[in-house]
Amino acid sequence: MNCQKIMESNETTEGKETRSDQQLTMKNNWMEQTKIPQVRAIVERQDPSSKEVDDLTIRRFLRARGLDIGKASSMLLRYLKWRREFVPNGSISLLETPNEVAQNKMFLQGSDKKGRPITVILGARHFQSKGGLEEFKRFVVYGFDKICSRMPPGQEKFVVIGDLEGWGYANSDIHGYLGSLTILQEYYPERLAKVFLVHVPYIFMAAWKIVHPFIDKNTRKKIVFVDNRKLKSTLLEEIDESQIPDIYGGVLPLIPIHESK
């Protein structure tokens, strides 16, 4: 993908920008454009398969590492190695995650006001399955890949509504939470736009205190604990009512991610 297309994908910005904001955006765009080919050159020398990686992907890894060429290159190389080993067939099949799919806990429907896909996760339906941690991680990758495949042109991020209504200690899975967090932060950088945590019970905070130190600063900024009394109004700030799931006062029915087209 050429530099012109990268510039076009940046034209959608949050809110009205001031002149200084616009100048900063232009400067960052210029810096990214100059660094993308440098990262590509470094990575291609060590992993020829990276020739298939597009510029937008490289840009996400650069952003995740503060535009540091060396760190972004190392991160991208780790991702390519992981992808070959963990997803050798190029994608995860539902046949590889039968126990996780049976829990019917992840849904995909609608988009926010910026066109970012919305996924809903029902935490009380998650239990450690007989497939173990590895199957759970395969399901996480299946989910992320499915969401990313739904990205409209010019969009790279998705929104999560994590619903913890009915969550109890039987649903607690620290190893699973940390495993999914690692996958998100290390292998899907700059994909997450925001997480709305809704119906959060007090007992969940015990698990949260364990997981929280492992969440990087950029990800922490994207997590919002929603007051039950303001649930719909909070969602409406970023999602049109026509795109809000019906269980939160909108009109869209939940669609299991494995049934989402």
Side-chain angles (χ1 to χ4, degrees), residues 129-144:
S129 72
K130 62 182 180 181
L133 181 59
E134 287 305 300
E135 182 180 334
F136 175 68
K137 290 194 290 187
R138 287 196 297 272
F139 180 71
V140 170
V141 172
Y142 169 82
F144 286 159

Side-chain angles (χ1 to χ4, degrees), residues 60-213:
R60 288 195 297 274
F61 280 84
L62 267 169
R63 288 178 172 178
R65 289 298 178 262
L67 302 187
D68 184 297
I69 293 173
K71 292 180 179 179
S73 299
S74 296
M75 186 183 189
L76 181 53
L77 284 166
R78 289 196 301 272
Y79 161 76
L80 292 169
K81 181 176 184 295
W82 165 81
R83 188 80 188 183
R84 280 195 299 271
E85 295 174 352
F86 198 76
V87 195
N89 298 320
S91 63
I92 299 292
S93 165
L94 289 176
L95 296 176
E96 298 178 75
T97 61
N99 300 291
E100 298 297 328
V101 172
Q103 292 181 1
N104 203 34
K105 57 193 172 188
M106 190 172 187
F107 305 83
L108 180 60
Q109 65 290 297
S111 58
D112 72 357
K113 294 177 181 179
K114 296 178 181 178
R116 301 179 296 203
I118 299 170
T119 183
V120 175
I121 300 173
L122 302 183
R125 293 189 182 181
H126 172 71
F127 297 91
Q128 297 182 47
S129 72
K130 62 182 180 181
L133 181 59
E134 287 305 300
E135 182 180 334
F136 175 68
K137 290 194 290 187
R138 287 196 297 272
F139 180 71
V140 170
V141 172
Y142 169 82
F144 286 159
D145 284 353
K146 188 69 175 286
I147 297 167
C148 291
S149 72
R150 291 280 299 276
M151 300 284 181
Q155 188 52 260
E156 301 178 73
K157 300 187 177 186
F158 59 86
V159 173
V160 177
I161 299 177
D163 192 330
L164 297 172
E165 186 171 20
W167 187 95
Y169 288 124
N171 307 114
S172 182
D173 182 7
I174 301 301
H175 291 298
Y177 298 156
L178 294 178
S180 58
L181 183 63
T182 296
I183 291 171
L184 173 67
Q185 294 182 162
E186 293 296 319
Y187 308 129
Y188 293 83
E190 296 298 307
R191 283 297 199 182
L192 180 66
K194 183 166 287 189
V195 177
F196 294 99
L197 289 179
V198 305
H199 301 137
V200 181
Y202 181 75
I203 59 173
F204 174 75
M205 300 315 295
W208 177 253
K209 288 179 181 179
I210 297 174
V211 175
H212 186 263

Side-chain angles (χ1 to χ4, degrees), residues 29-41:
N29 286 343
W30 178 82
M31 291 178 65
E32 290 171 354
Q33 291 171 43
T34 60
K35 292 185 176 186
I36 286 172
Q38 296 179 62
V39 171
R40 181 178 293 284

Side-chain angles (χ1 to χ4, degrees), residues 43-55:
V43 174
E44 284 187 4
R45 282 199 296 269
Q46 299 182 56
D47 188 338
S49 72
S50 65
K51 292 180 179 180
E52 299 177 4
V53 176
D54 62 29
D55 287 357

